[in-house]
């Protein structure tokens, strides 16, 4: 099923022509309404008339998270305050949060793009869809909520927290779809096990997951424990929120709503554009946004683009799964380490549960990596609560991690339930070096 066949199946020439027109309009809009961009363009001796086709985008400056913080709270807002009908904010860990204002048109575009995502997952007007992202300043809850309503399905605004009640409502109301973080989906599964509720007693068949990294191993874990088909949902508040890209039935990359969000891949070191198929940092330009339009925004997400034809019939370009972030990459003893690498190793071992933490520290001027991971309950019950098998498992995990990461690490196998759960975004890495 396709929600907007005209826009989602455009020919490449038609899409490029539309993107070019929208880019010219965007540059003119920010030039006259955002002093930050007007100053940037003037410094580069550029005017809106210099930007006529989508290929001209490489002439334009990049925008970064720091630019948003430096212009806190409304310095990059282009629409007058009287036109802003909603404000969201990021949960940034340092500095000011990122403030994002939306006009009525922005909310309409957001709802339209989210309806495209849901339709690609197989959600229809007859479904009951639970939204278990947090509601409030975070864009996840309301972003998916408005898309479900736009599609015409019934929305269950469960949000996070009170998980036992949520599980009961999923069962009693016969909910067929759910959106949340991957880690919260596993938390739901744990709660079901504790309450003695079988996945067979639920009608869930579709899950949309995003807002934090997750691997194919975690996808398989979620699908097996909840009895659903799990789809990727990608977005970020600076660009819009959930809806920027979405998996289809082929599940071979995520289609980007590129008539609204133009993607580029750049080398994060040289900032030079990379060709389709090369992995690098994802950059977005908001072609139609009014409240907080952004030009060439550096997401820091590492991925690649794929323009091969898709069996679903959509012609929009796809992005591969995000493998990490250029600013979240850990450099330990000169080696680049991504949390996703560690997770892949852990979830490939049947004894390990999908709950882990990476602790990075510096001892005597030497970086150290400690990996904590829970053992699954069934193995714990079979004698893993004694020292010998735990020590043996820790050695096996450490050996596999060294083969993948090329550095040694200390592994600590923990009892089931001992690693703190999160009902929002999970924090997998604690880097104590930045505190010293």
């Amino acid at each position: 099923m396709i929600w907007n066949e005209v826009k989602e199946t455009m020919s490449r020439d038609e899409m490029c022509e539309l993107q070019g027109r929208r880019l010219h309009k965007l540059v003119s809009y920010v030039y006259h309404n955002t002093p930050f961009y007007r100053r940037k363009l003037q410094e580069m001796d550029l005017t809106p008339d210099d930007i006529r086709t989508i290929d001209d985008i490489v002439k334009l400056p990049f925008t970064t998270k720091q630019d948003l913080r430096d212009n806190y709270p409304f310095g990059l807002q282009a629409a007058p305050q009287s036109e802003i009908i909603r404000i969201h904010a990021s949960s940034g860990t340092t500095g000011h949060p990122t403030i994002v204002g939306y006009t009525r048109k922005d909310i309409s575009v957001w709802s339209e793009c989210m309806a495209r995502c849901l339709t690609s997952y197989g959600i229809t007007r007859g479904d009951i869809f639970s939204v278990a992202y947090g509601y409030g300043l975070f864009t996840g809850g309301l972003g998916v909520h408005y898309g479900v309503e736009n599609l015409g399905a019934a929305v269950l605004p469960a949000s996070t927290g009170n998980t036992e009640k949520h599980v009961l409502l999923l069962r009693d109301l016969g909910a067929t779809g759910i959106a949340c973080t991957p880690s919260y989906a596993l938390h739901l599964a744990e709660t079901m096990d504790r309450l003695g509720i079988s996945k067979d007693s639920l009608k869930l068949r579709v899950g949309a997951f995003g807002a934090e990294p997750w691997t194919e191993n975690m996808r398989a874990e979620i699908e097996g424990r909840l009895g659903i088909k799990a789809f990727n949902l990608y977005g970020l508040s600076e660009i819009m929120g959930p809806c920027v890209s979405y998996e289809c039935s082929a599940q071979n990359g995520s289609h980007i709503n590129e008539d609204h969000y133009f993607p580029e891949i750049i080398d994060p070191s040289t900032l030079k554009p990379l060709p389709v198929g090369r992995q690098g940092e994802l950059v977005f330009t908001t072609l139609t946004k009014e409240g907080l339009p952004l030009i060439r925004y550096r997401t820091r997400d590492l991925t690649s683009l794929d323009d091969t034809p898709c069996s679903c019939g959509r012609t929009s370009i796809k992005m591969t799964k995000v493998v990490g972030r250029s600013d979240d990459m850990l450099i330990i003893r000169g080696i680049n380490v991504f949390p996703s690498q560690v997770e892949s190793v852990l979830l490939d071992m049947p004894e390990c549960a999908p709950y882990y933490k990476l602790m990075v520290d510096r001892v005597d001027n030497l970086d150290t990596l400690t990996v904590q991971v829970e053992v699954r309950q069934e193995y714990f019950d079979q004698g893993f609560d004694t020292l010998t098998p735990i020590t043996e498992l820790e050695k096996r995990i450490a050996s596999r991690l060294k083969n993948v990461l090329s550095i040694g690490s200390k592994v600590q196998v923990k009892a089931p339930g001992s690693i703190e759960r999160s009902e929002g975004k999970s924090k997998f890495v604690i880097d104590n070096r930045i505190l010293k």
Side-chain angles (χ1 to χ4, degrees):
M1 296 184 293
I2 297 179
W3 174 256
N4 189 331
E5 194 150 354
V6 172
K7 290 300 192 324
E8 294 180 78
T9 62
M10 296 179 82
S11 71
R12 183 47 42 188
D13 288 343
E14 290 173 324
M15 179 62 77
C16 288
E17 194 275 333
L18 175 64
Q19 291 170 333
R21 282 192 286 110
R22 288 182 168 177
L23 179 63
H24 172 72
K25 184 177 179 180
L26 168 71
V27 174
S28 179
Y29 178 65
V30 299
Y31 189 87
H32 291 100
N33 293 281
T34 311
F36 170 82
Y37 279 123
R38 181 165 59 250
R39 184 172 61 253
K40 283 264 192 179
L41 293 171
Q42 288 173 344
E43 289 172 353
M44 301 175 74
D45 197 25
L46 287 173
T47 71
D49 287 338
D50 294 315
I51 310 300
R52 289 293 178 181
T53 72
I54 196 61
D55 293 335
D56 291 329
I57 199 168
V58 296
K59 301 176 183 178
L60 296 170
F62 291 103
T63 310
T64 67
K65 188 92 165 184
Q66 191 59 49
D67 292 326
L68 294 169
R69 290 181 176 138
D70 290 345
N71 288 275
Y72 175 90
F74 299 124
L76 290 187
Q77 186 172 292
Q81 194 61 43
S82 60
E83 296 297 317
I84 299 297
I85 67 168
R86 191 193 300 172
I87 296 173
H88 283 286
S90 73
S91 57
T93 55
T94 60
H96 293 301
T98 301
I99 304 298
V100 185
Y102 298 79
T103 65
R104 193 170 302 279
K105 180 184 175 184
D106 291 338
I107 298 297
S108 177
V109 169
W110 193 358
S111 301
E112 149 77 13
C113 290
M114 192 63 230
R116 296 182 190 180
C117 305
L118 294 164
T119 301
S120 74
Y121 306 148
I123 299 298
T124 69
R125 292 174 59 89
D127 283 296
I128 298 176
F129 198 91
S130 176
V131 180
Y133 284 120
Y135 280 66
L137 292 175
F138 175 57
T139 56
L142 286 170
V144 179
H145 182 116
Y146 272 61
V148 176
E149 289 188 341
N150 190 37
L151 178 68
V155 62
L156 175 63
S159 191
T160 56
N162 208 344
T163 305
E164 290 189 7
K165 182 178 181 180
H166 187 184
V167 168
L168 295 176
L169 286 174
L170 290 176
R171 182 194 64 187
D172 298 344
L173 299 181
T176 48
I178 188 171
C180 60
T181 62
S183 55
Y184 187 66
L186 291 172
H187 182 53
L188 280 171
E190 280 191 330
T191 303
M192 289 167 56
D193 291 343
R194 190 173 69 252
L195 296 177
I197 295 177
S198 166
K199 65 181 180 182
D200 296 329
S201 66
L202 273 59
K203 293 184 179 179
L204 280 179
R205 58 183 178 81
V206 171
F209 305 109
E212 64 187 25
W214 59 308
T215 62
E216 289 303 311
N217 286 331
M218 187 174 279
R219 189 204 296 265
E221 174 90 6
I222 292 170
E223 290 183 337
R225 297 186 69 175
L226 293 181
I228 62 174
K229 191 70 173 172
F231 293 90
N232 194 47
L233 175 63
Y234 176 86
L236 57 165
S237 60
E238 298 91 329
I239 300 304
M240 185 63 86
C243 80
V244 175
S245 74
Y246 55 95
E247 280 187 315
C248 62
S249 56
Q251 292 192 303
N252 185 27
S254 296
H255 291 275
I256 297 173
N257 283 309
E258 57 172 319
D259 52 325
H260 295 288
Y261 320 113
F262 181 75
E264 299 174 83
I265 299 292
I266 64 168
D267 184 314
S269 299
T270 66
L271 305 186
K272 298 296 184 183
L274 295 174
V276 170
R278 286 278 301 278
Q279 187 178 102
E281 182 181 330
L282 182 62
V283 171
F284 275 116
T285 297
T286 60
L287 296 176
T288 59
K289 205 172 181 190
E290 294 180 335
L292 187 79
L294 294 177
I295 292 175
R296 304 191 82 190
Y297 180 74
R298 296 184 59 185
T299 69
R300 302 292 182 175
D301 287 333
L302 299 175
T303 183
S304 61
L305 298 179
D306 179 6
D307 62 359
T308 57
C310 187
S311 59
C312 75
R314 293 172 179 82
T315 56
S316 50
I317 201 164
K318 292 179 291 186
M319 56 183 278
T320 59
K321 179 159 281 192
V322 173
V323 297
R325 289 177 55 83
S326 60
D327 56 352
D328 279 354
M329 179 181 70
L330 297 166
I331 301 178
I332 304 174
R333 291 174 237 153
I335 302 295
N336 296 342
V337 175
F338 291 99
S340 58
Q341 294 175 295
V342 177
E343 181 176 294
S344 294
V345 170
L346 297 178
L347 294 190
D348 200 39
M349 303 184 72
E351 301 94 338
C352 295
Y355 303 103
Y356 67 94
K357 282 203 183 298
L358 279 61
M359 317 284 289
V360 187
D361 213 326
R362 185 164 288 144
V363 178
D364 296 330
N365 296 316
L366 180 67
D367 289 343
T368 63
L369 172 63
T370 300
V371 178
Q372 297 180 342
V373 60
E374 285 186 18
V375 69
R376 290 186 184 275
Q377 187 69 53
E378 56 267 34
Y379 288 93
F380 187 78
D381 293 340
Q382 293 172 13
F384 267 79
D385 56 340
T386 59
L387 183 61
T388 300
I390 286 181
T391 302
E392 191 274 335
L393 178 59
E394 289 174 341
K395 289 180 179 179
R396 282 196 289 123
I397 295 173
S399 176
R400 293 196 186 187
L401 286 173
K402 188 171 185 178
N403 288 337
V404 172
L405 304 178
S406 299
I407 61 169
S409 60
K410 180 180 179 181
V411 176
Q412 296 176 343
V413 172
K414 314 288 284 186
S418 59
I419 293 179
E420 182 182 1
R421 305 297 193 257
S422 172
E423 295 186 340
K425 287 189 179 184
S426 291
K427 185 173 179 61
F428 299 106
V429 179
I430 297 176
D431 192 342
N432 291 315
R433 295 175 301 180
I434 63 177
L435 302 177
K436 296 181 178 180

